[in-house]
């Protein structure tokens, strides 16, 4: 369904790749889909296609292109270590600028969602980027680094109760800093949306997706003929 496009960062003019999937029926809006630490994998492209099927023109940028073009890792320990290394070597200011390039490439209304490292980047975009209508972040461990920043748009968060990488204390920190923020908890571990992960939980994934789509619909994601 999708195609590869090129975006240009407003930060430094760097050109990087992105996967774009267009809806085949009436359009609800645009969607910035932010990768896990593993890059723009088959799983991320499949998610983009699935959101496009719901009516969202979806762009999934390759945020690690400055470090390695076309990076797409498996779930081995070596690949996880490399993904963590790349995430730590990608500054938040750069992430926000690259996210803005994708947002600007989409006709409004534009939404954002992301998973794992992309969950924290989703929070970042909600706080710093312009042109967004709503955000839904999935198990963003590093949101606590950014918890003092305030989303500019309606934002919801999804976490797994048994996620060993994100103790409930961290989730509570976010809730205490933003008591008005909807935080949904699931009987699942980290990465519960991905059917490639050991912690995949189809019931939790389905419920979180329904809540995300409802959140977008309630904030401008209605059907149109555009």
């Amino acid at each position: 369904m999708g195609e590869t496009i090129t975006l240009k960062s407003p930060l430094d003019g760097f050109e990087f790749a992105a996967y774009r999937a267009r809806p085949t029926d009436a359009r609800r809006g645009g969607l910035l889909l932010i990768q896990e630490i593993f890059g723009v994998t088959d799983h991320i492209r499949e998610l983009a296609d699935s959101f496009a099927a719901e009516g969202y023109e979806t762009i999934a940028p390759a945020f690690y292109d400055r470090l390695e073009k076309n990076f797409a890792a498996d779930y081995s320990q070596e690949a996880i270590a490399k993904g963590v290394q790349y995430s730590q070597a990608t500054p938040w200011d750069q992430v926000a600028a690259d996210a803005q390039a994708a947002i600007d490439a989409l006709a409004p209304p534009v939404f954002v969602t992301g998973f794992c490292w992309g969950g924290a980047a989703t929070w970042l975009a909600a706080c710093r980027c312009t042109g967004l209508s709503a955000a839904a972040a999935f198990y963003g461990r590093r949101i606590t680094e950014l918890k003092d920043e305030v989303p500019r748009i309606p934002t919801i968060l999804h976490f797994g109760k048994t996620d060993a990488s994100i103790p409930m204390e961290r989730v509570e920190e976010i809730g205490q800093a933003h008591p008005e923020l909807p935080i949904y908890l699931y009987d699942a571990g980290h990465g519960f949306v991905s059917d490639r992960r050991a912690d995949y939980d189809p019931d939790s994934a389905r419920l979180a997706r329904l809540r995300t789509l409802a959140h977008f619909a309630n904030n401008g994601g209605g059907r149109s003929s555009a």
Side-chain angles (χ1 to χ4, degrees):
M1 180 184 293
E3 60 181 337
T4 299
I5 63 171
T6 300
L7 301 172
K8 180 181 287 189
S9 175
L11 178 70
D12 56 6
F14 180 80
E15 294 187 346
F16 56 101
Y19 180 80
R20 178 170 64 187
R22 298 180 183 271
T24 56
D25 202 343
R27 188 180 190 275
R28 289 186 181 272
L31 178 64
L32 165 58
L33 172 61
I34 306 183
Q35 64 185 55
E36 302 167 298
I37 61 169
F38 305 103
V40 182
T41 58
D42 288 344
H43 171 58
I44 293 298
R45 287 191 289 270
E46 287 174 12
L47 281 173
D49 291 345
S50 72
F51 280 115
E54 297 283 353
Y56 293 93
E57 179 187 355
T58 304
I59 291 180
F63 282 93
Y64 297 166
D65 259 8
R66 288 175 181 80
L67 300 168
E68 181 179 332
K69 291 283 189 181
N70 305 314
F71 177 70
D74 57 28
Y75 300 105
S76 66
Q77 288 303 310
E78 180 181 359
I80 291 172
K82 194 171 189 180
V84 169
Q85 175 191 344
Y86 282 177
S87 71
Q88 293 172 343
T90 304
W92 286 131
D93 287 348
Q94 178 183 297
V95 173
D98 291 357
Q100 190 66 59
I103 294 164
D104 293 345
L106 292 161
V110 182
F111 307 91
V112 59
T113 192
F115 304 82
C116 182
W117 175 83
T122 294
W123 175 270
L124 181 82
C127 295
R128 298 190 190 179
C129 293
T130 60
L132 289 169
S133 295
F138 286 77
Y139 31 85
R141 182 181 62 83
R142 293 177 65 186
I143 290 175
T144 51
E145 296 177 20
L146 305 161
K147 69 178 186 298
D148 292 334
E149 300 195 33
V150 180
R152 302 177 177 183
I153 53 174
T155 299
I156 61 174
L157 306 182
H158 306 285
F159 291 102
K161 294 179 185 177
T162 59
D163 187 338
S165 67
I166 311 175
M168 282 298 100
E169 293 80 13
R170 288 199 175 194
V171 178
E172 290 167 5
E173 282 181 37
I174 300 166
Q176 289 168 3
H178 302 274
E180 77 293 344
L181 192 77
I183 298 178
Y184 297 106
L185 302 177
Y186 302 84
D187 292 320
H190 191 75
F192 64 79
V193 170
S194 174
D195 59 5
R196 274 78 164 173
R197 306 289 294 273
D199 281 326
Y200 173 57
D201 188 277
D203 289 338
S204 297
R206 189 179 306 111
L207 178 56
R209 181 182 177 90
L210 287 172
R211 284 171 168 160
T212 295
L213 291 172
H215 181 59
F216 293 165
N218 290 335
N219 288 282
R223 289 283 187 182
S224 73
S225 58

